[in-house]
């Protein structure tokens, strides 16, 4: 008995150590210190090589970002260095762009430097009132337009809270207060634009997302008749945590199978997923995304649990999946610079229906946030267009979760199924590409 216990303990220790090695070697996930250095490097690159261009394009020569600790503006939060997990006290950042001199000042009206990229420009001992110090800083530079983050229709560009807005207005003289304008377009552009350095990291992150899904949809995790959909969900959550990553939303696993009626869109999208025991012959679907160094992924893929007499996914399911890929092609070929999300949606749905598909498209920006800022190409319950967010034009160097589904009638099952796909895509110089390929075949799960 003692010998058995020792053997088990040795095995557990060996397995645990091996698992740690695999975690480190399988993916190029950085340790915390190196991760922080990378985050700050990417941020400095954005400040130096991207922000001046965005400010010129938006015709805003001064941008104010104001936040208090634990109530951060979503834009300001993306500008904090790795060692700042939150704003401190009241944090005010001033960007001043002098296009003629080709300079961009980055100043903090705060007690501290904000990392190495933004220097403190407030001497509290000399001027105790933070707002007065800000007003003086603005007066010295005399900008034409002062952008502040308020927006009726884009929440991520609406980060200036009422209290700070009121304080700002009260402390600016009339000649400066009259220059305040919405920085909506600038804020959206900052959040939605991906740099070359970020895209390199993004490709790795999407690859990791795909690999984790492959592991979840395997015989190593799924035992038909035993494993539940919730078991797979929590495997995904634990895997992400073990790798030192984060999930930005709770993943889902759902099942479509013979003799069970397809759920309506309302039931599928607005209600929680029921826990089910996975069986042989099930068509599985996942929705899963992770966060790493300020970027987010969002992915939906399918797998099929082979029956005892099957060596591959049934042809009728393969044919159905091709229709999902075809809908992706129709959508991505319609994505052109300057087109609005609503235009792309309308054109894509029209072509898909002409080809005999039963489509639904709900593609959203992806990057700094999971549901990020930029143009929205449909929502599952807004297939006739999305007001305001869908009217925003498609920009270059932006990323999207190409999210959609098509309903397919399966004669063999005497029912409809829904092929639901989502993959990270990048729209570069008027050319679309998948960040790290896309699923083109249903994953077969061969079990014992």
């Amino acid at each position: 008995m003692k010998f058995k216990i020792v053997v088990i303990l040795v095995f557990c220790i060996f397995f645990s150590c091996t698992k740690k090695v695999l975690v480190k070697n399988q993916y190029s996930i950085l340790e915390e210190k190196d991760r922080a250095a990378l985050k700050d490097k990417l941020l400095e690159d954005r400040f130096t090589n991207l922000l001046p261009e965005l400010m010129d394009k938006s015709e805003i020569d001064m941008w104010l970002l104001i936040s208090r600790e634990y109530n951060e503006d979503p834009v300001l939060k993306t500008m904090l260095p790795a060692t700042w997990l939150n704003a401190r006290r009241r944090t005010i950042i001033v960007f001043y762009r002098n296009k003629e001199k080709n300079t961009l000042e980055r100043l903090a009206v705060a007690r501290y430097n904000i990392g190495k990229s933004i220097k403190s420009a407030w001497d509290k001992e000399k001027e105790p009132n933070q707002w007065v110090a800000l007003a003086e800083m603005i007066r010295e530079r005399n900008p034409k337009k002062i952008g502040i983050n308020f927006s009726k229709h884009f929440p991520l560009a609406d980060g200036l809270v009422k209290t700070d807005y009121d304080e700002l207005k009260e402390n600016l003289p009339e000649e400066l207060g009259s220059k305040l304008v919405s920085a909506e377009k600038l804020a959206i552009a900052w959040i939605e634009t991906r740099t070359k350095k970020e895209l390199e990291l993004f490709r790795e992150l999407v690859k990791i997302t795909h690999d984790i899904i492959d592991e979840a949809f395997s015989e190593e995790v799924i035992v038909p008749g035993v494993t539940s959909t919730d078991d797979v969900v929590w495997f995904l959550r634990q895997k992400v945590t073990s790798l030192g990553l984060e999930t930005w939303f709770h993943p889902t696993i759902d099942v479509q199978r013979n003799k069970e009626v397809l759920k309506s869109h309302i039931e599928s999208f607005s209600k929680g997923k029921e826990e089910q025991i996975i069986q042989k012959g099930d068509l599985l679907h996942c929705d899963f995304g992770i966060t790493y160094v300020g970027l987010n992924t969002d992915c939906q893929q399918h797998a099929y649990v082979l029956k005892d007499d099957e060596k591959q996914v049934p042809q009728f399911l393969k044919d159905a999946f091709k229709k999902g890929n075809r809908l992706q092609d129709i959508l991505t070929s319609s994505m052109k610079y300057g087109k609005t999300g609503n235009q792309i949606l309308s054109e894509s749905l029209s072509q898909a229906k002409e080809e005999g598909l039963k489509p639904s498209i709900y593609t959203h920006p992806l990057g700094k946030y999971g549901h990020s800022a930029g143009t929205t190409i449909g929502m599952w319950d807004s297939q006739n267009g999305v007001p305001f967010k869908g009217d925003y034009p498609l920009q270059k160097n932006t990323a999207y979760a190409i999210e959609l589904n098509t309903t397919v009638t399966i004669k063999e099952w005497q029912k409809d199924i829904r092929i639901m796909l989502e993959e990270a895509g990048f729209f570069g110089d008027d050319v679309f590409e998948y960040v790290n390929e896309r699923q083109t075949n249903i994953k077969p799960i061969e079990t014992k």
Side-chain angles (χ1 to χ4, degrees):
M1 184 67 180
K2 288 182 179 179
F3 175 76
K4 276 188 174 181
I5 292 172
V6 170
V7 170
I8 291 170
L9 285 172
V10 170
F11 174 79
C12 289
I13 292 168
F14 173 78
F15 177 77
S16 176
C17 293
T18 304
K19 190 172 182 181
K20 289 178 182 177
V21 172
L22 287 174
V23 166
K24 288 185 176 180
N25 294 341
Q26 189 176 0
Y27 309 114
S28 55
I29 297 171
L30 300 173
E31 297 293 332
E32 285 291 341
K33 185 176 180 180
D34 295 330
R35 194 180 304 190
L38 175 59
K39 181 178 180 179
D40 290 347
K41 181 180 178 181
L42 293 174
L43 184 56
E44 177 61 28
D45 177 58
R46 287 174 65 82
F47 284 145
T48 302
N49 300 313
L50 176 62
L51 186 54
E53 173 191 338
L54 299 182
M55 292 185 72
D56 291 347
K57 188 176 179 180
S58 66
E59 298 182 337
I60 288 176
D61 55 337
M62 180 172 281
W63 192 13
L64 302 185
L65 296 101
I66 307 170
S67 286
R68 282 172 292 166
E69 199 167 2
Y70 309 127
N71 192 26
E72 288 81 11
D73 177 328
V75 177
L76 183 141
K77 199 163 181 66
T78 68
M79 296 176 170
L80 298 179
T83 54
W84 280 49
L85 304 184
N86 300 93
R88 296 180 183 175
R89 302 182 183 178
R90 176 179 274 111
T91 296
I92 301 177
I93 301 176
V94 179
F95 295 107
Y96 176 62
R97 169 67 171 160
N98 189 319
K99 191 174 180 180
E100 291 180 3
K101 295 182 179 179
N102 194 26
T103 58
L104 176 66
E105 287 187 276
R106 310 176 220 157
L107 307 168
V109 189
R111 293 287 280 172
Y112 318 95
N113 292 335
I114 303 178
K116 295 180 180 179
S117 294
I118 303 174
K119 300 300 181 183
S120 172
W122 178 34
D123 184 345
K124 188 175 181 180
E125 282 63 44
K126 182 178 179 181
E127 174 49 71
N129 190 308
Q130 189 178 21
W131 294 108
V132 172
L134 172 63
E136 182 58 31
M137 191 180 297
I138 297 172
R139 186 184 293 106
E140 288 175 1
R141 288 156 181 79
N142 193 28
K144 296 176 183 177
K145 291 182 181 179
I146 306 171
I148 53 177
N149 289 349
F150 67 90
S151 170
K152 184 175 182 179
H153 304 294
F154 290 85
L156 291 174
D158 191 40
L160 181 62
V161 301
K162 185 178 187 301
T163 299
D164 286 333
Y165 174 75
D166 289 344
E167 292 268 20
L168 176 65
K169 287 285 287 183
E170 288 172 14
N171 285 278
L172 285 184
E174 187 176 346
E175 69 271 15
L176 295 180
S178 64
K179 296 181 178 184
L180 293 173
V181 298
S182 170
E184 178 185 86
K185 290 183 179 179
L186 177 54
I188 293 171
W190 170 263
I191 290 175
E192 74 172 343
T193 307
R194 299 279 68 77
T195 64
K196 290 181 179 179
K197 293 182 186 297
E198 285 178 319
L199 188 56
E200 292 174 10
L201 174 64
F202 203 29
R203 292 190 194 283
E204 292 181 21
L205 185 57
V206 176
K207 175 64 165 60
I208 293 170
T209 305
H210 288 164
D211 287 349
I212 294 173
I213 293 173
D214 284 345
E215 188 174 352
F217 280 160
S218 73
E219 62 273 17
E220 299 299 321
V221 173
I222 293 174
V223 179
V226 177
T227 307
S228 73
T229 50
D230 272 9
D231 290 336
V232 183
V233 165
W234 287 108
F235 169 84
L236 291 168
R237 287 292 301 268
Q238 187 59 54
K239 183 71 176 182
V240 170
T241 300
S242 298
L243 288 171
L245 304 171
E246 297 177 34
T247 52
W248 71 268
F249 68 94
H250 188 62
T252 60
I253 301 290
D254 54 272
V255 174
Q256 297 180 87
R257 57 171 60 125
N258 193 3
K259 298 179 181 179
E260 287 189 6
V261 178
L262 179 65
K263 295 180 180 179
S264 69
H265 270 83
I266 293 177
E267 190 173 359
S268 294
F269 286 89
S270 62
K271 295 185 178 181
K273 306 294 183 184
E274 273 184 31
E275 183 176 15
Q276 292 179 281
I277 300 299
I278 295 170
Q279 306 290 350
K280 293 181 180 181
D282 281 349
L283 177 64
L284 306 180
H285 164 262
C286 72
D287 191 355
F288 172 61
I290 56 180
T291 301
Y292 178 61
V293 193
L295 293 174
N296 298 270
T297 67
D298 202 351
C299 186
Q300 294 181 48
Q301 295 193 347
H302 285 279
Y304 175 78
V305 186
L306 297 177
K307 295 179 182 178
D308 292 336
D309 59 346
E310 292 175 325
K311 298 296 183 183
Q312 59 181 343
V313 176
Q315 188 62 46
F316 62 84
L317 290 180
K318 291 181 180 180
D319 293 340
F321 193 85
K322 288 178 182 177
K323 294 184 178 183
N325 283 156
R326 177 56 191 153
L327 181 57
Q328 288 175 319
D329 292 340
I330 291 171
L331 169 61
T332 57
S333 64
S334 297
M335 296 174 71
K336 302 296 179 185
Y337 172 69
K339 278 188 181 180
T340 67
N342 287 335
Q343 288 173 326
I344 297 168
L345 174 69
S346 178
E347 291 174 13
S348 300
L349 290 177
S350 178
Q351 183 179 343
K353 290 173 183 177
E354 286 178 8
E355 294 187 18
L357 299 177
K358 298 178 183 177
S360 180
I361 296 172
Y362 33 96
T363 285
H364 59 84
L366 180 68
K368 288 294 182 186
Y369 291 92
H371 292 155
S372 202
T375 191
T376 298
I377 308 173
M379 299 179 76
W380 69 265
D381 54 354
S382 299
Q383 289 297 284
N384 293 320
V386 181
F388 305 108
K389 289 183 181 179
D391 295 323
Y392 185 83
L394 179 67
Q395 302 296 323
K396 296 180 180 180
N397 300 318
T398 52
Y400 301 87
I402 304 301
E403 186 178 9
L404 43 74
N405 76 65
T406 186
T407 301
V408 183
T409 301
I410 303 295
K411 293 180 181 179
E412 291 79 359
W413 285 3
Q414 297 183 337
K415 59 170 283 185
D416 287 344
I417 66 167
R418 196 174 287 129
I419 299 297
M420 299 168 281
L421 299 174
E422 187 171 19
E423 294 287 0
F426 177 72
F427 186 78
D429 190 13
D430 220 16
V431 176
F432 174 86
E433 62 176 307
Y434 285 100
V435 174
N436 182 263
E437 302 180 342
R438 63 169 173 172
Q439 184 181 18
T440 54
N441 294 290
I442 297 172
K443 303 176 193 294
I445 302 175
E446 186 173 359
T447 59
K448 296 178 182 179

